[in-house]
Amino acid sequence: MTRAVLQAGRLALAAGLAAHLVAASAAVQAQPIRLIPPGGNPDEAPAPAQAPAQSQPPAQSQAPAQSQAPAQSQAPGQFQAPALPAQSNTPPLDTPAGLPGNAQADQQNRLQTVQQETDGFVIQPLGAPDPSSTGLLDDTNGGLGAHMWDGTALRQAIQVLGVLPAPVATPALRDLQRRLLLTFAEVPKGEPGTPSLLGTRISQLYKLGLVGEAEQLATPRPASLKDPIFLQLPVEAALLRNDLDRACEMANQGLREDGAAYWQKIVVLCRYHAKDIAGGDLALSLWRDNGGDDPPFNALAAALRGDARAKVETLGGASAVHFAMLRAAGRPLPKDTLDVATPALLPALARYEKADAELRLAAIERAARYGALPPAALAEAYAAVEIADNQRAALAGGKDKSARAAAYLYQSVKAATDAKTRAEFLRQAFELAQARELLFPTAAILQPFLADVTPDDSTIAAAPAMIRLALAARDTGIARLWYNTALTIPPETGKAGETVAQAWPLLLLAGAEAEWRDSRYEAWLATLDSLKAPERNMRITLLLTLAEGVGFPVPPERWDILLVPVENNARPAPSIAVWRSLLRASEIKARAETAALALALLGPNGAEEADGLTLTTALEALRKVELEVDARRIALDVALRRGL
């Protein structure tokens, strides 16, 4: 009897609990819920796992942003840049579905107040995900982690992203910066505002020349974010693609939402392009009345209006708007164009039919150097250059340092039929690339030919170039093969002994050598005897700094040779604010903030300008937040660019 009473009581309690849960469920109208244990803090409850908002992340985290080579190029002037990604139809992340207008807002307010307690559990609705968390990379394809902003406030995150350098010519630095900006991650705590975290990320991607990935991250436009970049980026991309009609169509919407000078300039371009001279004159007058001051823009406007006397001697800020006006007016490129062009603009310059072939080829080279075009585009452009037989004889001397000479060497490497001849052309191509600051894209396009050359007595003279080309192309295996072969050859044959001594530091930094070896260091040191003291000390400092930066314990006495008076130091001092912030961020393991500040400390030309202490600080900070692979790659790239 007692058991029956207890059973009945349990059934009654269960029925009451079920009814209570049904009522609570109706109150939240099937919104996502989370269950919080008794006494738990709602703010500390585990967050649900989130997947990246973009459904098609890049397949390889280390690959360049645009991975397809242009199709069917016949000459540099006909080069086609990779198509930008199509617009996504995914709905905005911050828009709850199924509730219209004010009803949606009222319902959301009610949901925030609904909180039912049942036997120690609290039922709460989950808020909509923050649109700034979206990304293209996660832990499976090179992302820095969904919690990479832990320890960093929202205001700090936006500030550190705002000081990222651009353009960046060193691949390891650029790759880390790209992954930082593209990683799907929880948004740091803080008050949302403008600029937003997502808007700042998109702006920095555009500055790097990664226009396609910036568009992917910005599509669809989050309704809750008001950064100008969400309106301006599609217009910039259309101008770069030479889709002026589409750009003007979008500009009308932009002008309705924002009266900034940017849109006023676009209106001037669109009115004159449409042959609406009066409308263009009025738009130009309004822009000037509002304080517009841009002499190159005024000259371009006059040229676009049809004034044959207008002289366009500079592209000014080299923005997409400036270039679109020049192209619409049919004017040739000014002489300073490549000097002022941003990475995003370079692919468009390479396709401009009014530019001569040499300039278009130079634009492709520079775009490949900054990662705005993939190396395959450079290989295609070099292969398409027509070189007469009488010109080849002159280019073979090695004195010509032009893009045409680089194309000649690429074609010669490709056409060589025996290993010794190919090795010699590879050596010349390496030396020219070093001199022209194009080592990394050149190494990438020559990498397929490195494996075709067998290291032996007849080719060992090319070993220094082969090792450096292989390491610059991230092919440690081939570099190690040449190094090991040089170890087995008599030291005097093709200077094999010197090759081993000079290559050891690079293999150490690349991870192909497991530990610091004093005997190898002494052999390397002996190769510096012919250098003047400042250059010799600079190289020693660089090696010791980079070795310690990536975790090799350098014997303290190795620094003693550098205890000499310093007469002058022309290198710029790093920002104290960035330095202090980096030390703080790395100590608390704030991963994303540390990565951003390390990049800012090294700067766009860190490989050439950063001193030893700056390099050590940046590399050690990256290692503290478990970015050892990035630290090692950066160290190797710095060593290669400085000719270690």
Side-chain angles (χ1 to χ4, degrees):
M1 182 69 179
T2 304
R3 182 177 298 176
V5 171
L6 289 173
Q7 183 67 19
R10 289 193 184 104
L11 292 173
L13 180 60
L17 177 59
H20 204 62
L21 287 171
V22 169
S25 178
V28 299
Q29 293 196 357
Q31 294 293 314
I33 63 173
R34 56 178 173 176
L35 298 180
I36 303 173
N41 185 341
D43 293 332
E44 296 177 355
Q50 299 180 7
Q54 304 293 339
S55 60
Q56 296 180 346
Q60 298 180 359
S61 64
Q62 306 304 326
Q66 295 134 318
S67 59
Q68 289 80 26
Q72 298 180 352
S73 173
Q74 300 303 317
Q78 298 170 330
F79 181 79
Q80 297 297 317
L84 292 170
Q87 299 286 319
S88 168
N89 294 321
T90 307
L93 290 174
D94 60 343
T95 306
L99 292 175
N102 294 331
Q104 175 179 301
D106 294 342
Q107 180 65 9
Q108 188 66 29
N109 291 334
R110 287 197 298 272
L111 290 174
Q112 292 173 354
T113 62
V114 172
Q115 184 172 307
Q116 299 290 342
E117 296 188 11
T118 305
D119 277 359
F121 282 93
V122 178
I123 302 174
Q124 268 191 344
L126 291 178
D130 193 309
S132 282
S133 67
T134 189
L136 306 182
L137 302 178
D138 57 22
D139 291 343
T140 67
N141 58 2
L144 302 188
H147 300 284
M148 69 177 190
W149 289 114
D150 285 1
T152 303
L154 181 59
R155 174 187 57 79
Q156 291 172 313
I158 293 171
Q159 283 181 325
V160 298
L161 291 184
V163 297
L164 287 174
V168 179
T170 305
L173 291 170
R174 187 173 61 245
D175 176 70
L176 176 58
Q177 188 161 322
R178 169 185 170 271
R179 287 158 45 224
L180 170 69
L181 295 171
L182 289 175
T183 295
F184 167 85
E186 294 180 8
V187 178
K189 293 182 179 180
E191 291 296 324
T194 302
S196 67
L197 186 64
L198 180 58
T200 303
R201 291 163 61 198
I202 293 167
S203 296
Q204 293 296 350
L205 284 168
Y206 182 77
K207 290 179 182 178
L208 282 178
L210 304 179
V211 181
E213 287 173 312
E215 282 196 296
Q216 290 183 63
L217 209 58
T219 306
R221 174 191 173 189
S224 61
L225 302 183
K226 305 303 180 184
D227 303 61
I229 190 66
F230 291 107
L231 287 174
Q232 294 180 9
L233 179 63
V235 176
E236 296 277 307
L239 292 176
L240 294 174
R241 290 193 296 262
N242 199 21
D243 189 353
L244 198 49
D245 292 337
R246 175 62 178 154
C248 291
E249 179 184 333
M250 291 186 288
N252 290 329
Q253 176 187 354
L255 191 61
R256 286 193 296 269
E257 297 189 30
D258 182 3
Y262 174 85
W263 299 109
Q264 296 175 18
K265 286 185 171 183
I266 296 284
V267 170
V268 173
L269 163 62
C270 294
R271 291 286 183 268
Y272 284 144
H273 172 64
K275 306 304 180 185
D276 179 6
I277 303 303
D281 290 346
L282 177 60
L284 185 61
S285 176
L286 290 173
W287 173 73
R288 288 171 174 165
D289 290 344
N290 288 330
D293 182 18
D294 185 347
F297 177 80
N298 289 331
L300 288 164
L304 187 55
R305 191 182 188 278
D307 185 351
R309 298 171 299 175
K311 294 183 178 181
V312 181
E313 297 177 340
T314 178
L315 208 55
S319 70
V321 177
H322 286 81
F323 177 61
M325 296 178 75
L326 182 92
R327 181 162 49 189
R331 292 295 187 94
L333 290 172
K335 293 181 179 180
D336 71 341
T337 299
L338 287 182
D339 295 331
V340 299
T342 61
L345 185 58
L346 288 167
L349 296 177
R351 299 190 298 266
Y352 186 43
E353 64 279 1
K354 293 289 184 179
D356 63 65
E358 295 288 340
L359 191 147
R360 292 196 298 270
L361 181 57
I364 294 172
E365 285 186 322
R366 195 163 298 195
R369 180 188 179 206
Y370 292 132
L373 283 177
L378 180 60
E380 185 176 353
Y382 280 165
V385 174
E386 296 182 0
I387 305 174
D389 290 340
N390 61 336
Q391 294 175 322
R392 290 180 179 275
L395 294 171
K399 295 182 180 180
D400 193 315
K401 305 298 182 183
S402 67
R404 195 171 189 81
Y408 160 76
L409 288 172
Y410 175 76
Q411 293 177 14
S412 299
V413 168
K414 194 174 181 180
T417 56
D418 66 276
K420 186 175 181 179
T421 301
R422 176 168 281 175
E424 176 57 22
F425 281 128
L426 284 166
R427 183 191 65 77
Q428 293 180 37
F430 162 75
E431 292 177 354
L432 181 59
Q434 277 276 65
R436 302 182 68 235
E437 298 185 354
L438 287 168
L439 172 60
F440 296 105
T442 300
I445 65 174
L446 294 178
Q447 191 271 340
F449 306 108
L450 300 181
D452 294 336
V453 182
T454 303
D456 56 28
D457 290 7
S458 67
T459 59
I460 199 64
M466 298 294 288
I467 291 171
R468 285 162 174 76
L469 284 171
L471 291 175
R474 302 284 185 255
D475 197 332
T476 307
I478 288 181
R480 185 80 210 196
L481 174 64
W482 281 84
Y483 180 77
N484 289 343
T485 302
L487 283 170
T488 65
I489 292 176
E492 65 278 1
T493 302
K495 298 184 178 180
E498 186 175 333
T499 293
V500 170
Q502 292 178 340
W504 172 76
L506 299 174
L507 291 166
L508 181 75
L509 297 174
E513 287 281 285
E515 60 184 3
W516 177 275
R517 297 174 63 181
D518 276 346
S519 60
R520 293 291 184 211
Y521 174 75
E522 291 290 350
W524 172 77
L525 206 59
T527 67
L528 307 182
D529 288 344
S530 62
L531 299 178
K532 293 183 179 179
E535 175 68 15
R536 185 171 183 266
N537 290 343
M538 183 277 292
R539 294 194 181 208
I540 296 171
T541 301
L542 182 62
L543 173 56
L544 299 183
T545 295
L546 295 176
E548 287 193 340
V550 298
F552 288 104
V554 175
E557 61 271 16
R558 293 301 175 188
W559 289 95
D560 293 347
I561 194 174
L562 300 172
L563 295 176
V564 295
V566 178
E567 295 183 3
N568 89 64
N569 181 11
R571 297 189 186 278
S575 165
I576 296 300
V578 172
W579 187 299
R580 290 173 59 88
S581 297
L582 175 60
L583 294 177
R584 177 196 59 78
S586 64
E587 287 300 323
I588 64 173
K589 302 297 189 291
R591 194 179 216 198
E593 187 177 358
T594 297
L597 289 166
L599 290 164
L601 188 66
L602 292 173
N605 298 312
E608 289 86 11
E609 296 180 1
D611 58 26
L613 194 54
T614 298
L615 286 168
T616 300
T617 302
L619 296 175
E620 289 182 346
L622 291 173
R623 289 171 50 230
K624 284 183 179 179
V625 294
E626 300 180 1
L627 292 173
E628 295 91 348
V629 173
D630 292 281
R632 188 177 294 281
R633 288 175 176 171
I634 290 168
L636 178 59
D637 284 2
V638 169
L640 288 168
R641 289 195 67 183
R642 290 196 182 180
L644 188 66

